[in-house]
Amino acid sequence: MRLLLIGFGTVGQGLAELLLEKEQILTDQYGLKVQVVGISDMLKGSIYNAGGINLQQALKLAKSGKKLSEMPDNFDGDAVSLITTADADMIVEATYTDIKTAEPATMHIRTALEKGMHVTTTNKGPIALFYHDLAKLAKEKGVQLLYEGTVMSGTPLLNLIRETLAGCTITEVKGILNGTTNYILSEMEQGLAYDDVLKKAQELGYAEAVPDADVLGWDALAKVTIIANTVFGEQCKPDDFPCKGITEISSEAIADAKSRGKRYKLIGKVWRDGNTVKGSVAPEEIDMSRPLAGVMGATNAVTITTDTLGDVTIVGPGAGRNETGYSALVDIIHVGGLR
Ligand code: HSE
């Protein structure tokens, strides 16, 4: 499996570390030899070597804030020209999410699919805005388009629904879909100031490049739209759903809710209402006796309501370097032939 990493920030580097750490397991358990042949990053430059690039050196340069173009395998071109030129089987699209335009990520994905390459993406923009078009293109080209990391990072919500709950009718998907805001609300309850906690969430790799996307609810809204499109088969856009973030929740309001046995959580949900599918993002006061109230930090939790099994709940990391890197790894293993 020859890979191109498009975007070498938190997620791309998290995946690179996992590929090095799990090289043996991938070979022994899955018969999969994964070779990164190219990387392109808007800030760090591009590299390409058909025989495989030195991933350790690339990680070292990225961590010390240096450009990849310092490496001997420097490629003189951007992501699109790398995808067009390179001899590779799959791309990992992990550039920043722009939820308004979904670019340049959508262009990267389209270029790869057109060329007959498999794609995994952790980028919410293309799947929230253009899922059906991209899935159609992937089908026409006979390749896979996977996107596990777009919701709940590496916690397997989408795989769980698609594969393990196959045959169930899903009537509602509801829960904590944004790690940053859950982390902020949790830390504010401990008496920390909003600005300090947001900064920490950025340092920990939870927050989006522009953290407004987290605190205003747009990130959760993108995930709600992804669930509506991919799980419920709708043709939705983020603007179709009401969205409210956490910026109006003060430390005082959090303490007051606590004194009444409640806890604020930013809840995203998608549900079937007769023949229509609805969705929303808004803070809710959750009773402390309810499981969602106990989910703290960057952890996410989602309850899937099904016709056959009733409620199935999945709890796990919702953001982070390794956690999101892992989602790309599991997609690579799926494409490579899960046994
Ligand atoms: N900023 C997102 C979050 C990252 O905090 O949940 C994962 O999508």
Side-chain angles (χ1 to χ4, degrees), residues 269-289:
K269 55 186 166 188
V270 184
W271 70 101
R272 204 169 280 287
D273 184 10
N275 285 333
T276 59
V277 168
K278 295 190 171 159
S280 68
V281 173
E284 284 183 22
E285 281 190 5
I286 308 281
D287 199 272
M288 291 283 194
S289 64

Side-chain angles (χ1 to χ4, degrees), residues 124 149-150 177-181 206-208 214 219 223 300 318-319:
K124 287 151 274 194
T150 57
L177 291 170
N178 179 267
T180 302
T181 48
Y206 302 154
E208 295 301 298
D214 294 293
D219 174 76
K223 292 165 180 166
N300 284 186

Side-chain angles (χ1 to χ4, degrees), residues 4 40 46 75-86 108 111 115:
L4 294 181
S40 182
S46 305
F75 175 84
D76 196 14
D78 62 6
V80 170
S81 63
L82 179 65
I83 298 166
T84 311
T85 314
H108 300 155
T111 307
K115 209 181 151 191

